[in-house]
């Protein structure tokens, strides 16, 4: 059975998870759902080699990846709203929100991103009031923002860095009593994440997804 490690502040500090108050009584991750984008679908690697698929394949795991290539927080609130119903049907005990890369790439302002994340959290909690919600700020990209990719007009100027998005994600976590993981520094083995970029400098190689898998398990999960 897979369970979340203790949320005591000292342990969370060691694991790199922000110690914010729990939003619910349950910290059980025997049923883990991940809401994501192409990082979670495992884009550009063979089926089964993405980090979410690797987590699902671990002995005793029960993982529900809900992800779409190109997804933003806004599209999860609009185009993919129906997919959130699976959280209730499946009765997830912990939900990781693994989004933000496409919001940043499309020049969504950090403030708009934070607002959209808050609405998404409300949607999740309306369905699963006892689930633990964790906001994950994943690794940075090697490309810049693109004004041609924005889905809300007018686009904001290309001034936001991945670090400013990390700040917005952290603020959203604090204000909404979420767990928070900042994974933008380096891989578990100490390499910069650029070491694991694929040719597009966005999506990871198979080895990079293995590092994401190892990182999530080391930070959040303990097999007992």
């Amino acid at each position: 059975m897979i369970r979340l490690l203790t949320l005591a502040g000292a342990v969370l500090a060691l694991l790199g998870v922000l110690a914010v108050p729990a939003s619910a009584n349950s910290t059980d991750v025997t049923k883990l759902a991940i809401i994501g984008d192409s990082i979670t679908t495992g884009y550009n690697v063979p089926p089964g080699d993405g980090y979410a698929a690797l987590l699902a394949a671990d002995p005793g795991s029960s993982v529900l990846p809900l992800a779409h290539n190109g997804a933003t927080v806004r599209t999860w609130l609009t185009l993919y709203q129906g997919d959130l119903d699976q959280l209730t049907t499946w009765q997830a005990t912990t939900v990781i929100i693994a989004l933000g890369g496409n919001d940043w790439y499309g020049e969504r302002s950090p403030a708009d991103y934070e607002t959209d994340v808050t609405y998404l959290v409300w949607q999740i909690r309306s369905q699963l009031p006892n689930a633990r919600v964790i906001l994950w700020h994943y690794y940075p990209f090697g490309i810049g923002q693109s004004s041609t990719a924005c889905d809300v007009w007018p686009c904001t100027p290309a001034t936001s860095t991945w670090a400013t998005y990390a700040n917005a994600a952290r603020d959203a976590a604090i204000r909404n009593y979420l767990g928070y993981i900042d994974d933008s520094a380096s891989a578990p083995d100490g390499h910069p994440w650029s070491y694991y970029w694929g040719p597009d400098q966005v999506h990871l190689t198979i080895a990079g997804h293995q590092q994401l898998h190892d990182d999530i398990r080391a930070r959040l999960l303990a097999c007992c």
Side-chain angles (χ1 to χ4, degrees), residues 1-197:
M1 181 180 291
I2 294 177
R3 294 190 181 278
L4 189 67
L5 290 173
T6 177
L7 297 180
V11 175
L12 286 171
L14 288 173
L15 295 177
V17 181
L18 181 66
V20 297
S23 61
N25 294 326
S26 173
T27 55
D28 183 358
V29 290
T30 52
K31 303 189 78 172
L32 172 66
I34 307 172
I35 297 175
D37 49 31
S38 59
I39 307 302
T40 302
T41 67
Y43 181 84
N44 218 30
V45 298
D49 285 326
Y51 84 91
L54 293 173
L55 285 172
D58 285 336
S61 294
S62 186
V63 179
L64 176 67
L66 297 173
H68 296 273
N69 294 336
T72 64
V73 182
R74 183 70 57 87
T75 55
W76 265 102
L77 292 168
T78 53
L79 295 178
Y80 309 130
Q81 182 76 45
D83 287 18
L84 295 177
D85 294 340
Q86 294 184 55
L87 295 175
T88 302
T89 303
W90 197 65
Q91 283 297 296
T93 57
T94 293
V95 180
I96 293 179
I97 300 174
L99 294 166
N102 292 306
D103 300 79
W104 170 81
Y105 179 67
E107 299 190 16
R108 180 74 50 76
S109 73
D112 286 347
Y113 162 73
E114 184 179 340
T115 297
D116 288 344
V117 164
T118 298
Y119 279 124
L120 181 58
V121 170
W122 290 352
Q123 291 279 342
I124 294 168
R125 285 180 172 162
S126 69
Q127 298 184 62
L128 298 169
N130 293 319
R132 174 72 170 170
V133 182
I134 298 169
L135 187 56
W136 178 29
H137 183 68
Y138 51 72
Y139 63 89
F141 302 152
I143 60 173
Q145 291 177 293
S146 171
S147 61
T148 62
C150 70
D151 58 1
V152 176
W153 191 261
C155 293
T156 59
T159 56
S160 300
T161 65
W162 196 230
T164 61
Y165 260 65
N167 292 336
R170 186 181 186 279
D171 289 346
I174 293 172
R175 290 175 179 143
N176 293 285
Y177 304 102
L178 311 176
Y180 175 61
I181 301 171
D182 186 355
D183 235 348
S184 60
S186 61
D189 62 356
H191 283 114
W193 283 109
S194 57
Y195 182 81
Y196 293 108
W197 286 336

Side-chain angles (χ1 to χ4, degrees), residues 204-219:
L204 298 181
T205 60
I206 293 174
H209 277 280
Q210 182 65 57
Q211 289 297 320
L212 280 186
H213 162 272
D214 294 348
D215 188 44
I216 291 296
R217 286 200 64 84
R219 290 175 182 270

